[in-house]
Amino acid sequence: MGSQDKHQVEKNRHFIQALGHAWDGVKDVVKKERNMRFHIIAAVLVIIAAFLMQVNVFEWLWLLSAIFVVFAAEFANTIVEELVDLVVHHHYDLDAKYAKDIAAGVVLLAAFYAVLVGLLIFWPRFKNLLGI
């Protein structure tokens, strides 16, 4: 703790300290970002469905990779939004909008990828359940 206001300004001294900061970041994103909470709910539903439908290991890998791609995209989007707001001091700026829109587009593409993976894995099982 290098500053008088007790905020850390130096590098982490221990791995555990770094993990604590990383965990704080995860908690902050989940707490502050509504869309991240939606992604978590969707992920939990997918995981429950995967257990119930007894997907194989290969399918688990695809599902989990899709979930984590969406999570990573949402974290990256949050970083961009926070940095842009910091730079423009929460005032409208066309370049800031452009950066934020692109970051949001990354999340949209990741979510589209996740939906495609889910459809490829779950659609045949739903068809069998419905007798189609």
Side-chain angles (χ1 to χ4, degrees), residues 19-95:
L19 283 178
H21 293 305
W23 183 244
D24 288 344
V26 171
K27 290 188 302 188
D28 286 345
V29 170
V30 172
K31 180 178 161 185
K32 294 179 183 178
E33 297 297 323
R34 179 195 59 198
N35 287 343
M36 187 66 206
R37 293 190 297 274
F38 290 147
H39 296 313
I40 290 170
I41 291 167
V44 168
L45 293 174
V46 166
I47 289 168
I48 290 169
F51 271 115
L52 293 175
M53 296 188 174
Q54 299 176 341
V55 301
N56 64 43
V57 172
F58 182 71
E59 293 167 325
W60 270 112
L61 289 172
W62 279 103
L63 290 170
L64 292 175
S65 73
I67 288 168
F68 283 102
V69 164
V70 172
F71 285 4
E74 188 62 51
F75 273 75
N77 180 51
T78 301
I79 292 167
V80 170
E81 288 177 349
E82 292 295 321
L83 286 174
V84 166
D85 287 346
L86 184 66
V87 169
V88 300
H89 306 288
H90 298 280
H91 289 88
Y92 181 82
D93 180 278
L94 192 57
D95 291 330

